[in-house]
Amino acid sequence: MNKIYIFVSALFLFCISCAKTEPKKKIQSALETNDSISIWSDESYKVDSKRKLELQYKAYQFAIDSPTDSLKSIHLSNLSYNQRFISDSSLYRQVNNEAILANQKIKDTATIGAAYWDLAYFMENRIAYDSAFYYYSEALNLYNQINYKEEVGRLYLIMASIQMKIKDYIGSEANTIKAIEYFKTLENNSHHLYRSYNLLGIVLTDLKEYEKSLAYYKEALFYLEKIPDSYIDEVTVINNIGVTYRNDKQYDKAIENFEKVLSTNNILSEKPSLYGLALSNLATSKLYKRDTSNVRNLFNQAIKIKKKENDLGSIAASYYNYAELEAFAHDTTAAIHKAKEAERLAIEGESNERLLKTWQFLAILDKENASGYFKNFIKLNDSLQNEDRKQQNKFARIRFETDEFIAENIVLESEKETLSKQKQIWIGIAIGFFLLGLSIYIIINQRAKNQKLRFDQQQQANNQEIFNLMLTQKQKVDEVKRLEQKRISEELHDGVLGKMLGARMILTGLNKRATDEAIQEKSKALSSLQEIENEIRSISHELSHSAYQKINNFTDSVETLLANKKIKTIFHFNEDENWDSFDSDIKINAYRIIQETFQNAIKHSKCSYFEVSFYRNDDNFNVIMSDNGIGYNVNKGKKGIGLRNITSRINKLKGNFHIDSTEGKGTTITLNIPIKINKK
């Protein structure tokens, strides 16, 4: 009962805020203020109908003659949107069709959807609900393709409101729930969700599921709390809650909600239609409760406000309820008079539902004309039922086709997603095999490198041991040679020389004989012995000097190392210095460091000469190695195995080293090693 009260408040908001809000923001919301079409549009509101039509055709021709497809689509789309300007129905259909074709040419799916949205709104305003529903569904399909979730949700909600108007409550509920599902995936969705739950509350009230209806209204109020300055919407929902309580015959709760609406500040000045509606609802609630105090005054106030708003359907409803009040007061004449006024207004306002109720009521009140009212009722009711049935069938077919289209899209998306997942799996498997192969290669390669490194380290250790053995062997040979030289020297000096000295002394004694011949022979013999003595002494001294002259084995080893024909080598050392007296660890590690540096210079520095210098400074042994190669940046260079080996060896000797290198100017390495002298 009295569904029109809900429609006037709730659906008015839907038509204003839902159907025609911002579909063009996706394409280009409006033309510039100095654009010709905008100028003609502004002028059209100030001229007569003939001039207005001329301006409309002028704007249409201007859009058609646009120099580019893109500009043409923009002009036509904005004309399609501006239905206040394009008031001629046939021209508007032409404009809208051209807008769709122009955007199809440039493949702008969003703008094609907006053009269908415009056409659906155009049809809805002309009460062609089946056509409106069809074009809304076309827009829905397009927005679904490009995943515009907010637009899809809004279209579901608009389609649900149209279904409610033709009493397709099940379809309306289903589409509203779909709208909610989309809105809940968006941010800043409170306003959309409020409207959705409010519509569900209205639908469930019509289905007489009052508890569910009240639950949905509470959800609507919950989302309204998140929206600033929404008190008008809030009192609208409260009014709808009152209607639900009234239809459920909970009249006290209904009266409480209607009084809450009427007591809201500024509601009369801000929303007079809602105030008049709440007055009528309060009056009928009190009437159905059989409390007629002040009810007549409430009806009079409501009718007065509604007449100012020129809401014929709502005024007819108030007169109908007023007739109920008169009938309850047993004033049949007054009741018939009010019902007749309700009949007139319902016919004038094309409010068929209200007209049916009024004819039913008049058949009861006016016994004489009851048969005529019943005939009118049956004829109109059958006509409306047939029309509703046709529209519901059309809507069911459109909804089925829309759902089928969406289902096909879902299947395609699912197949696409499955193929994508399979592709990802195969890519993952391929990457896995690649990584496995790469890992095996790295492991094998690393093992080979480690094995080679261990082999090189073992070879280096073996070489060092061989070098130590060579040095030790050489030292032993030298020691034997020195001892042998000393022994021979001693034998010559102490044996042969002593004997020769004795013989000389004997001959000297014989020399005392005074014969000339003896003297002459003795003199010759003494001269020969003296010559032998001098020669033996000379040999003895040479052998003795050789025994104590140290042989340069360490320096010989270095000279042998540097004997490279590829590059020029220079070796400086003080020959008077006893280099072999150093501890064997110093000689071995110094030799290995020189060897490592020399090999690196040949391999990497591209040098033409390599120089080594030995010098002793107090208790330190200093080695300087330099080349004229390409050099390198010491700060940026990585520490290779060679450098680590040098560091390890110099640390063993408790010494230090310094590298001085500049790119393009060669490299110099200086070793500073504390001396340990072997004392044998």
Side-chain angles (χ1 to χ4, degrees), residues 453 460 592-593 596-597 600 604 638-649 657 659 669:
L453 180 62
Q460 189 173 0
R592 288 302 184 193
I593 291 172
E596 183 74 28
T597 305
N600 285 340
H604 305 299
K638 293 183 179 178
K639 278 193 173 185
I641 295 174
L643 189 58
R644 288 198 296 271
N645 287 341
I646 292 173
T647 303
S648 174
R649 290 182 183 279
F657 73 103
I659 300 175
I669 300 177

Side-chain angles (χ1 to χ4, degrees), residues 469-481:
L469 290 172
M470 287 173 61
L471 288 178
T472 303
Q473 184 65 26
K474 200 167 187 181
Q475 288 174 353
K476 288 181 178 179
V477 171
D478 291 343
E479 181 67 18
V480 170
K481 286 170 66 178

Side-chain angles (χ1 to χ4, degrees), residues 56-239:
Q56 292 174 25
Y57 274 97
K58 193 174 181 180
Y60 168 67
Q61 195 60 46
F62 178 85
I64 290 294
D65 294 337
S66 297
T68 64
D69 291 338
S70 178
L71 196 58
K72 182 178 179 179
S73 70
I74 291 172
H75 287 318
L76 287 169
S77 297
N78 279 283
L79 284 174
S80 173
Y81 179 71
N82 193 356
Q83 295 179 22
R84 288 184 62 200
F85 176 39
I86 308 297
S87 58
D88 183 79
S89 296
S90 60
L91 177 60
Y92 179 78
R93 291 300 301 270
Q94 194 172 351
V95 166
N96 181 265
N97 184 58
E98 291 288 348
I100 292 171
L101 292 174
N103 286 291
Q104 285 175 343
K105 188 174 182 181
I106 64 173
K107 298 180 181 180
D108 189 344
T109 304
T111 314
I112 299 168
Y116 277 117
W117 192 325
D118 295 336
L119 183 56
Y121 180 73
F122 176 83
M123 292 297 180
E124 185 180 2
N125 284 341
R126 283 151 183 77
I127 321 299
Y129 292 136
D130 54 346
S131 296
F133 190 86
Y134 172 77
Y135 290 120
Y136 279 133
S137 66
E138 287 292 298
L140 175 68
N141 292 339
L142 291 168
Y143 283 122
N144 248 320
Q145 288 179 24
I146 55 179
N147 200 28
Y148 277 21
K149 292 185 178 181
E150 182 178 356
E151 283 72 12
V152 170
R154 288 169 58 196
L155 285 164
Y156 270 126
L157 189 57
I158 295 168
M159 292 163 68
S161 70
I162 293 176
Q163 288 172 294
M164 185 188 68
K165 292 176 184 178
I166 64 150
K167 301 179 184 178
D168 180 12
Y169 299 123
I170 303 301
S172 178
E173 182 181 9
N175 277 337
T176 306
I177 290 171
K178 288 179 182 177
I180 290 171
E181 289 173 354
Y182 276 92
F183 291 145
K184 285 192 173 180
T185 64
L186 305 173
E187 296 180 356
N188 302 320
N189 57 6
S190 297
H191 190 68
H192 294 315
L193 288 171
Y194 139 67
R195 295 203 324 268
S196 301
Y197 282 111
N198 187 50
L199 179 59
L200 278 177
I202 295 169
V203 170
L204 270 294
T205 295
D206 286 344
L207 290 172
K208 301 187 186 318
E209 296 186 30
Y210 301 119
E211 288 187 11
K212 285 187 177 180
S213 174
L214 292 170
Y216 287 133
Y217 283 135
K218 287 180 182 178
E219 284 291 317
L221 290 173
F222 168 76
Y223 286 105
L224 276 174
E225 289 176 0
K226 301 180 180 182
I227 305 172
D229 301 323
S230 60
Y231 75 96
I232 294 294
D233 293 329
E234 184 179 347
V235 293
T236 301
V237 176
I238 293 170
N239 179 75

Side-chain angles (χ1 to χ4, degrees), residues 397-514:
R397 185 171 63 255
I398 295 169
R399 189 170 67 250
F400 172 75
E401 290 173 354
T402 302
D403 291 344
E404 192 176 47
F405 177 83
I406 294 170
E408 288 176 359
N409 279 344
I410 292 172
V411 170
L412 289 173
E413 287 294 327
S414 177
E415 290 177 354
K416 186 177 178 182
E417 186 177 348
T418 301
L419 289 173
S420 177
K421 286 182 179 178
Q422 289 178 350
K423 185 177 179 181
Q424 290 175 358
I425 290 170
W426 282 112
I427 291 172
I429 292 171
I431 292 172
F433 276 114
F434 172 76
L435 293 176
L436 179 62
L438 183 63
S439 300
I440 293 171
Y441 170 77
I442 291 172
I443 291 170
I444 293 173
N445 188 51
Q446 192 62 38
R447 283 182 177 177
K449 286 182 179 179
N450 291 339
Q451 187 174 0
K452 185 176 182 300
L453 180 62
R454 286 194 297 271
F455 175 79
D456 290 343
Q457 290 174 344
Q458 184 63 42
Q459 188 178 29
Q460 189 173 0
N462 293 339
N463 289 340
Q464 183 170 343
E465 186 175 356
I466 291 169
F467 182 75
N468 291 340
L469 290 172
M470 287 173 61
L471 288 178
T472 303
Q473 184 65 26
K474 200 167 187 181
Q475 288 174 353
K476 288 181 178 179
V477 171
D478 291 343
E479 181 67 18
V480 170
K481 286 170 66 178
R482 187 183 66 79
L483 292 173
E484 186 63 19
Q485 286 174 341
K486 185 178 181 182
R487 185 186 65 77
I488 293 170
S489 174
E490 289 175 351
E491 286 292 330
L492 288 172
H493 187 275
D494 297 336
V496 177
L497 189 60
K499 291 177 181 179
M500 294 296 292
L501 181 61
R504 185 176 62 83
M505 290 177 66
I506 292 171
L507 288 173
T508 302
L510 292 174
N511 200 30
K512 293 179 179 180
R513 294 166 63 182

Side-chain angles (χ1 to χ4, degrees), residues 310-327:
N310 196 31
D311 190 349
L312 297 179
S314 186
I315 299 169
S318 292
Y319 273 111
Y320 174 85
N321 296 130
Y322 210 152
E324 287 182 314
L325 172 64
E326 298 296 356

